[in-house]
Amino acid sequence: MKGLKRLYFLLPDVDTVRRVVDEFLLAHIPYEHIHVLASSGIPLEELPEAGITQRTDLVPAIERGLAVGGTVGALAGLAALAFPPVGMIAAGGAILFGALGGAGFGAWVSAMIGVGMPNSHLLRFQEATDRGMLLMMVDVPADRVDEFEDMIRLHHPEADIEGTEPTIPAFP
């Protein structure tokens, strides 16, 4: 699916979540696009539990690591061109390999850090999940956001619609 937006809903109990998941599946939203997050004491059973990319800052950390590492690597490649070691002339390869190496190293280091940090987008829901509510995140086509919000309002007035996230990372 192209052009996805992530919808956020707070739901009061597992039974309500189960019914909402069924409605999204009937509306042809793939199971892989539905994620549920709850406090550790709530068993989610067969519900689509939020994975590591939804629970942590892994994806934003990798993006930052690629950008910073690639920039630092390219600068190191430029420095190698400006001050070449004795007898070595590398031309543009130093910049390319510096940028690629720096981006790879930056992404790896940032991923190790990001996987240990909670998702910064979900901090606003922490208090509600601590009280026993369940957070549902659903990636839907951008042109169908209103349709799904209306469906939840109509069928589940107990649900709190918490808005959308404008862009979904390419690989969560």
Side-chain angles (χ1 to χ4, degrees):
M1 286 186 186
K2 290 189 176 188
L4 297 178
K5 284 194 174 218
R6 179 163 287 166
L7 301 178
Y8 293 97
F9 305 101
L10 283 170
L11 301 164
D13 55 50
V14 173
D15 290 332
T16 304
V17 172
R18 192 173 289 113
R19 289 192 304 272
V20 172
V21 167
D22 289 343
E23 289 179 31
F24 276 110
L25 292 173
L26 288 172
H28 303 289
I29 298 300
Y31 188 81
E32 300 81 33
H33 290 198
I34 304 170
H35 317 284
V36 179
L37 184 66
S39 64
S40 59
I42 298 175
L44 294 179
E45 299 159 10
E46 75 283 351
L47 292 172
E49 190 171 351
I52 195 165
T53 56
Q54 289 84 34
R55 290 189 324 263
T56 67
D57 255 352
L58 177 64
V59 174
I62 290 173
E63 291 170 348
R64 287 189 299 269
L66 283 170
V68 172
T71 302
V72 170
L75 291 174
L78 284 171
L81 285 178
F83 308 105
V86 177
M88 182 177 155
I89 299 176
I95 298 170
L96 175 65
F97 290 119
L100 291 175
F105 182 74
W108 176 70
V109 170
S110 295
M112 296 299 111
I113 294 169
V115 77
M117 299 178 68
N119 187 328
S120 55
H121 294 290
L122 303 182
L123 292 177
R124 64 185 172 133
F125 304 113
Q126 185 66 47
E127 185 180 319
T129 56
D130 288 346
R131 287 193 326 261
M133 296 197 75
L134 292 93
L135 175 64
M136 179 180 279
M137 300 168 276
V138 185
D139 303 332
V140 300
D143 60 347
R144 295 182 68 192
V145 168
D146 293 334
E147 170 191 341
F148 290 116
E149 286 182 347
D150 291 342
M151 177 185 78
I152 295 299
R153 279 188 195 96
L154 180 64
H155 299 158
H156 303 282
E158 71 278 13
D160 292 331
I161 299 173
E162 296 292 330
T164 64
E165 186 176 320
T167 57
I168 303 302
F171 51 92

